[in-house]
Structures are given as C-alpha cells and as structure tokens.
Amino acid sequence: MTSPVALIARILMAFIFIMAGVNKLGAGYAGTQGYMDAHGVPGLLLPLVILLELGGGILIAIGWQTRYAAWALAAFTLVSAAIFHNKFGDQLQMIMFMKNLAIAGGLMLLAVHGPGRLSMNQLRK
C-alpha cells in the first residue's frame, strides 16, 4: 500500500479506539465498569481495555507495530461483539455486532497488508 489513502484509512480506523479509550478515562469509567460487570466481565479489567484501545489505536494511527496492534484489536473487537452485542432480536445490538465484525475485518486486512509507505514502520527501515 503506497497510497496516502492508507494513512487516512489507518487514522480513521484508529479514531474509534482512541476515542473509546479517552471516553472511558473520563466520565464513562464507572458506567463502563458497571456495563462490563453486568455482562459477566470483571470491571477490574477496564484499565487493560483502555490501554489496548488507546495504545493499539495510537500504534495503528502512527503505523508502528501495526500488524500486532491490528491483530490484538481485531481479536478484542470480535470478543466484544460476542459478549456485549449478542442480543440479535434487538436491532441496535445487531447493528453494533455487525459494526464490530466490519471493524475486525478491516483490522485483519491491515494486519495482513501492513500500514503502508507513510508509517513509522517504513521510516525506521
């Protein structure tokens, strides 16, 4: 991928994770912990979730260790879909589930094809 579009695509893909992590750090922390607990996921894992979302999102945006970050976020996104968006009778939950599948698919493409020419990975070569 040599197009500047690859950089734009990485930034757009990373944005959802970075913003999710930032929102959980602020006013959304307690609510997210409660939501996790209500779905059988220990709220104590929230700092790791925030680290993955922020760290993985930033790594993808700058194109450093992109393949590892993309695989980690893809797995996280699929697990999140299965745990938190599995009420398929609820149209909103079905949409959220499908959104997660699409994001995971994009992340897998990024993991396979790499970050492109405009990335920290390329600058270090």
Side-chain angles (χ1 to χ4, degrees):
M1 290 192 293
T2 59
S3 169
V5 174
L7 171 62
I8 295 167
R10 281 198 336 267
I11 291 169
L12 291 174
M13 192 169 296
F15 186 70
I16 193 169
F17 293 102
I18 294 168
M19 290 308 300
V22 167
N23 288 335
K24 287 176 181 78
L25 279 175
Y29 194 91
T32 302
Q33 262 189 328
Y35 188 73
M36 290 171 68
D37 285 329
H39 285 83
V41 178
L44 293 173
L45 294 176
L46 185 53
L48 294 175
V49 169
I50 293 169
L51 180 64
L52 177 60
E53 288 177 333
L54 283 176
I58 290 167
L59 288 174
I60 285 174
I62 66 172
W64 175 248
Q65 300 298 318
T66 307
R67 293 175 194 261
Y68 297 118
W71 280 122
L73 286 172
F76 168 76
T77 302
L78 290 172
V79 170
S80 295
I83 294 171
F84 298 108
H85 305 303
N86 58 16
K87 303 220 178 347
F88 301 126
D90 179 343
Q91 185 178 11
L92 179 60
Q93 290 303 313
M94 177 59 95
I95 291 168
M96 297 294 280
F97 183 84
M98 298 301 286
K99 170 203 54 100
N100 277 32
L101 292 183
I103 291 169
L107 288 163
M108 287 180 207
L109 280 171
L110 184 60
V112 169
H113 293 287
R117 183 174 43 90
L118 300 176
S119 66
M120 292 298 292
N121 283 3
Q122 282 297 91
L123 288 175
R124 295 195 38 100
K125 287 184 179 180

